[in-house]
Structure formats: structure tokens, C-alpha cells
Amino acid sequence: IRSGNFLYVSGQGPLDPKTREVVSTDIREQTRQTLANLRSILAAAGLTMANVVNMRVGLRNTEDFPAFNEAFRDFMAGEKVTRTCVGATPHRKGVNVEIDCVASFD
């Protein structure tokens, strides 16, 4: 949803865009797919990851944080973003990470 100069993207998970199935049980692969899904939504609005100002992350298992963080940093390739990461229970079976974001059109 766009509000003013901001785009609010609801929580995305590690689903293959074509099959709508969870891509893997591996947190690194799930993280990369989730971020790729967010990137596609941003692109549809004419934005990139460089426009993201905040992300909220929910991890089913907080012990996955080191592996999640490694995949997140690699994917973001130096882009800076504020981020909150909490333990959470995504609603879909097999989804171990969910990420939402706020991006700026400025």
C-alpha cells in the first residue's frame, strides 16, 4: 500500500512465485527467496532495495539468526536498512522466515 511517499509491503515468505510452495527447509535459501520476493514487489512499484528504509523480520526459530543474518547481508550487498528481528510463528507450515518492509519513493 502506498501512503504519501512510502510503500508498505506486507509480510512475505519463502514461496516460489510460480508454484506458491515453500522453496526449502534451509533458512539461508528461505531468506534469499523471501528477499527476492520483496525485491520483485518493490520493482513493480519502480523501487529497489536501496529505497527500503525499514524491515521487520520474524524467525520461527531464533537460533536460525546467525545463518539468516549471513544470507541477509549477502543478499543486501551493502545496502543499509534499519531492521527489527524477532521470534515469531509464521502462519504457513514450513515457512521459517517472514519479512515486511517500508520503502521510500524519495
Side-chain angles (χ1 to χ4, degrees), residues 1-16:
I1 295 175
R2 184 174 181 166
S3 178
N5 284 330
F6 292 99
L7 182 70
Y8 295 83
V9 181
S10 62
Q12 300 299 305
L15 305 180
D16 179 289

Side-chain angles (χ1 to χ4, degrees), residues 35-100:
L35 290 168
N37 292 345
L38 281 171
R39 182 176 53 199
S40 293
I41 293 166
L42 293 167
L47 301 172
T48 70
M49 290 302 234
N51 296 98
V52 174
V53 294
N54 184 261
M55 288 184 171
R56 290 183 300 187
V57 179
L59 292 177
R60 186 178 297 274
N61 183 352
T62 57
E63 292 177 8
D64 283 340
F65 182 77
F68 156 80
N69 199 45
E70 177 186 321
F72 183 92
R73 286 182 178 192
D74 287 346
F75 188 95
M76 294 300 287
E79 291 294 342
K80 301 289 185 191
V81 61
T82 63
R83 180 183 74 187
T84 301
C85 188
V86 298
T89 305
H91 297 288
R92 186 168 178 160
K93 183 179 178 182
V95 170
N96 296 321
V97 61
E98 186 173 314
I99 305 173
D100 68 20

